Amino acid sequence: MYLTIIFNLVLAVSAFSSGDRAHLDVRDNDKDCPIFVYTSWRDLILHGDCRSSVQLTSSSGQTAEIRCNVEEGRKVFRFPPGIFEIDEQLLIPASCSIVGAASPNDMANPKKTPDWKGYQGVDTIRPDDNGALCGGGAFETKGCAENDCKVSQVNTGGSDGEGSMHVVIENVRINDFFFAEDQKKIGFPIPGNYDCKTDHWTEECCFCKPNGVRSTQVAVWVPESRNAEGTVDILIKHLVATSAQADGINLHGNIKGALVHDVYIENTGDDTLALWGAESFPEQITFANAVAVNPGIMRPNWYGNCVATYGLRSVIFANITCEAPTLEQPIPQPGGGEVNIDTSMFVFYTSFGGSYPSGNSIYIKGWNFKNLQGTGYTVQEGSLNTFKPGKMVWTKAENGILAPFYLPDKKQEVNVIACEGLKDEC
Ligand SMILES: *[C@@H]1O[C@H](CO)[C@@H](O)[C@H](O)[C@H]1NC(C)=O
């Protein structure tokens, strides 16, 4: 693969959530692409061992070199073309960048698969875990392994659990390596997989069977962190993900300053773009020029929307495109019976600890909301304030504009300001 990542500070990169799924399954016809086992290159990165050139030998005897230079105080590792296996979380030291041979993405045509590969995970199921995304991200920043730091002392990638600062993830292509082969399995019904009436997941099979689509759980996961500063200054751009077992991008916990722009993410098994502040009030978060296609399809009819928030202080969504179907028979959540898939374009939840302090703000600036055939949704065909099967929810924003968002419960004051045009004042 061509790993094209630029990290300014510290990042835990993980490929897989458990040992036996840890190997990139490379097909025989990829013989011309050299494969470098993880141990052949890991130590250079792990120890920040920056030498002008290090020779590597691939499993089939080809040689290539990793070069490193110090540029503006950062160690910049440049990788040659090849497949670099990663079979555990790899903690990237501070002030290191990993740069691949070329950008894999043409953002004007994000679906165009390059004739070379991207970052590929091989999970074929969302495991029945505690709902945490740790270990499932192609890219993870430092922080806690549990959703809630108080639950254990374990951290991502063996890190110190303190929030990462000044991280750049750009020009990465995720889970496209096997996409052509696995695409036909996306959304394909699996008998016996939809018994979701109660939350006794061990007795009922509610998506307990693999969908067979090899993917990482998430493209980017920012976990909760242990220090007061939290996660600071994250930039994610020119990222394409063709599938994910869980979310596309999920920003969790205390974050000050995150910009996600020019990303294209399709075929998730959960929300595509998620801001999960829980009780930590993330602020100065912006998602711009992002395209989200078919959220939740990896677990059909179950859970996922193009954009979802679970607590925050401030966020801007500018020029987001959502392509999502209306579903005739979504599976209601056990107990409450609410539907959590394809209900609207933006859903602002109070579940999963989602807290919105007084003075919170959500700006929606310009949206493009359509079905999978490309036909735009209109407020006239929608459902006002409440969900009805076969319809998308629209709600009136603070400034009187009707916009495609949904507040599933009205227990907290969530301040949404919307304007239809990107350049409109709002
Ligand atoms: C809006 O986003 C789309 C998709 O990313 C992009 O093609 C378009 O150029 C953006 N528009 C503006 C005005 O930035």
Side-chain angles (χ1 to χ4, degrees):
M1 86 183 169
Y2 289 65
L3 185 67
T4 312
I5 325 160
I6 301 176
F7 302 143
N8 279 358
L9 206 71
V10 187
L11 200 74
V13 176
S14 88
F16 316 104
S17 39
S18 82
D20 61 348
R21 287 180 292 218
H23 277 278
L24 186 66
D25 170 16
V26 177
R27 295 158 292 179
D28 290 345
N29 58 9
D30 284 324
K31 282 207 180 72
D32 50 336
C33 189
I35 300 165
F36 299 95
V37 298
Y38 180 55
T39 48
S40 74
W41 63 276
R42 172 195 60 193
D43 287 352
L44 287 176
I45 304 298
L46 197 61
H47 304 308
D49 181 2
C50 188
R51 284 176 274 157
S52 56
S53 170
V54 171
Q55 280 268 322
L56 299 181
T57 305
S58 75
S59 10
S60 49
Q62 294 130 301
T63 56
E65 57 180 6
I66 292 179
R67 293 171 175 274
C68 184
N69 288 299
V70 177
E71 296 172 16
E72 292 169 357
R74 276 182 301 129
K75 295 171 179 172
V76 181
F77 291 89
R78 290 202 159 73
F79 276 58
I83 293 170
F84 294 85
E85 294 183 333
I86 305 180
D87 50 21
E88 63 180 14
Q89 286 189 314
L90 169 60
L91 182 63
I92 299 176
S95 304
C96 282
S97 299
I98 298 178
V99 183
S103 171
N105 299 327
D106 172 0
M107 293 314 293
N109 188 5
K111 285 184 73 71
K112 188 174 152 215
T113 297
D115 58 1
W116 34 275
K117 331 292 185 192
Y119 190 98
Q120 176 67 50
V122 291
D123 286 358
T124 58
I125 189 171
R126 172 99 180 248
D128 179 23
D129 57 6
N130 60 358
L133 298 165
C134 172
F139 302 97
E140 300 188 1
T141 55
K142 295 192 303 161
C144 306
E146 301 277 351
N147 290 333
D148 176 348
C149 289
K150 293 189 285 292
V151 172
S152 85
Q153 290 306 306
V154 184
N155 301 320
T156 56
S159 72
D160 54 12
E162 302 203 343
S164 294
M165 301 170 95
H166 315 304
V167 174
V168 180
I169 300 170
E170 74 172 318
N171 296 335
V172 292
R173 193 169 186 93
I174 297 171
N175 297 329
D176 198 28
F177 189 93
F178 291 127
F179 184 70
E181 225 177 294
D182 292 357
Q183 185 175 15
K184 58 184 174 300
K185 299 179 183 165
I186 293 175
F188 195 79
I190 296 160
N193 219 10
Y194 314 102
D195 195 3
C196 305
K197 285 186 286 300
T198 72
D199 57 5
H200 304 150
W201 306 135
T202 48
E203 293 150 35
E204 289 181 349
C205 179
C206 183
F207 299 96
C208 74
K209 299 183 182 185
N211 54 30
V213 183
R214 288 164 287 182
S215 299
T216 53
Q217 296 290 322
V218 199
V220 180
W221 167 234
V222 171
E224 260 191 28
S225 48
R226 296 192 189 278
N227 55 332
E229 293 83 355
T231 302
V232 177
D233 182 22
I234 303 292
L235 173 60
I236 301 167
K237 63 178 187 175
H238 299 174
L239 174 148
V240 175
T242 49
S243 65
Q245 292 292 349
D247 300 340
I249 294 173
N250 191 322
L251 309 180
H252 183 35
N254 173 14
I255 305 171
K256 283 203 178 47
L259 173 59
V260 176
H261 75 91
D262 294 277
V263 301
Y264 180 98
I265 302 172
E266 55 182 9
N267 305 316
T268 57
D270 202 317
D271 303 315
T272 313
L273 303 173
L275 176 57
W276 178 14
E279 290 167 2
S280 298
F281 311 149
E283 61 189 55
Q284 298 159 42
I285 313 294
T286 300
F287 292 85
N289 303 351
V291 183
V293 180
N294 215 356
I297 186 61
M298 299 283 272
R299 295 184 295 178
N301 293 306
W302 179 237
Y303 201 105
N305 281 288
C306 284
V307 181
T309 71
Y310 304 83
L312 60 94
R313 191 188 304 279
S314 65
V315 65
I316 298 170
F317 297 105
N319 184 32
I320 310 293
T321 295
C322 171
E323 299 177 21
T326 48
L327 304 174
E328 293 304 330
Q329 292 188 303
I331 306 170
Q333 302 297 302
E338 79 269 39
V339 166
N340 288 322
I341 183 166
D342 295 325
T343 54
S344 187
M345 176 164 170
F346 300 89
V347 184
F348 306 124
Y349 288 102
T350 58
S351 51
F352 295 99
S355 301
Y356 299 80
S358 68
N360 70 76
S361 69
I362 299 177
Y363 279 86
I364 300 174
K365 297 184 172 195
W367 66 81
N368 185 354
F369 188 26
K370 47 196 178 183
N371 66 19
L372 296 176
Q373 288 70 46
T375 307
Y377 288 112
T378 61
V379 63
Q380 289 80 14
E381 308 159 327
S383 168
L384 209 59
N385 300 328
T386 52
F387 175 72
K388 294 196 179 79
K391 291 182 181 294
M392 291 296 185
V393 180
W394 294 64
T395 305
K396 193 174 271 186
E398 300 272 297
N399 58 338
I401 304 286
L402 278 162
F405 71 91
Y406 178 30
L407 298 159
D409 76 9
K410 280 83 184 163
K411 288 185 194 134
Q412 294 183 39
E413 192 177 309
V414 180
N415 304 312
V416 183
I417 301 98
C419 49
E420 207 157 337
L422 193 52
K423 296 213 175 72
D424 296 355
E425 288 285 322
C426 69

